[in-house]
Amino acid sequence: MKTIDQWLNEYGESHTNKTNKAIHWICIPLIMFSLVGALWSIPVPEAFASVPVIGPVLNVGSILMVLALLFYIRLSVPLFFGFIIIAALIIMGNYAINTALDHNGLYHFLVSLAIFVGAWIFQFIGHNIEGKKPSFFKDLQFLLIGPAWLLHFIYKKVGIPYK
């Protein structure tokens, strides 16, 4: 199993261009947010709504966030705690959008899809500028490393150890 530093260093090899990095700072959070939003719109059993406290936000998107958190905790406990905050913000944001759209799953899906596709277009533009393929072409786990790569920079900036 790779260490967090091995993952981050390998990811960083194809993210050295300033423009590509800037694009990633914008698009990775948008992709995370919109993926959860798109999955949020998948119908779930009515019993989900009756689960105390979390019922209104218990859906395929929030379940995906929990699975991602399990991936992060095995790599880095400090990053895991940062991702709990990020997951909460993503879930609250999608809940607000879903509420504003009158709980219309189709509209929520379409908004999320538009953000998702637009962000990926810019990601590929960034990699074209970089001249290197996205890391996930080598290993799909890099789709989860991208957000950790960004968060580790924030941790370093404010002096929080990320491992």
Side-chain angles (χ1 to χ4, degrees):
M1 182 168 89
K2 291 182 188 178
T3 67
I4 186 64
D5 281 328
Q6 289 170 321
W7 280 113
L8 297 175
N9 290 335
E10 192 172 343
Y11 188 85
E13 291 171 6
S14 62
H15 300 86
T16 59
N17 178 277
K18 187 177 178 178
T19 302
N20 189 30
K21 283 183 181 181
I23 289 170
H24 278 63
W25 275 99
I26 296 166
C27 292
I28 286 175
L30 288 174
I31 289 168
M32 290 175 63
F33 186 85
S34 62
L35 179 60
V36 171
L39 295 174
W40 191 294
S41 64
I42 296 172
V44 294
E46 284 294 319
F48 278 39
S50 64
V51 175
V53 182
I54 63 169
V57 296
L58 186 57
N59 56 64
V60 178
S62 59
I63 292 168
L64 172 76
M65 291 301 306
V66 170
L67 295 174
L69 288 170
L70 294 175
F71 176 83
Y72 292 125
I73 197 167
R74 77 183 178 101
L75 288 179
S76 164
V77 172
L79 288 178
F80 164 78
F81 284 113
F83 278 114
I84 288 176
I85 295 167
I86 291 167
L89 292 171
I90 289 171
I91 289 168
M92 288 187 314
N94 273 290
Y95 179 78
I97 288 173
N98 195 47
T99 301
L101 295 173
D102 209 20
H103 303 284
N104 185 315
L106 176 60
Y107 290 162
H108 194 174
F109 176 78
L110 293 174
V111 167
S112 298
L113 181 64
I115 295 168
F116 186 83
V117 169
W120 272 112
I121 288 170
F122 279 99
Q123 290 280 84
F124 282 106
I125 289 170
H127 278 284
N128 187 50
I129 293 167
E130 177 94 35
K132 295 180 183 167
K133 293 187 296 189
S135 301
F136 76 87
F137 284 167
K138 180 179 177 184
D139 187 334
L140 286 177
Q141 292 179 85
F142 280 113
L143 291 170
L144 289 167
I145 297 301
W149 183 71
L150 296 177
L151 187 57
H152 106 280
F153 283 120
I154 294 170
Y155 273 40
K156 286 172 72 171
K157 182 80 171 173
V158 297
I160 300 172
Y162 66 90
K163 53 184 175 174

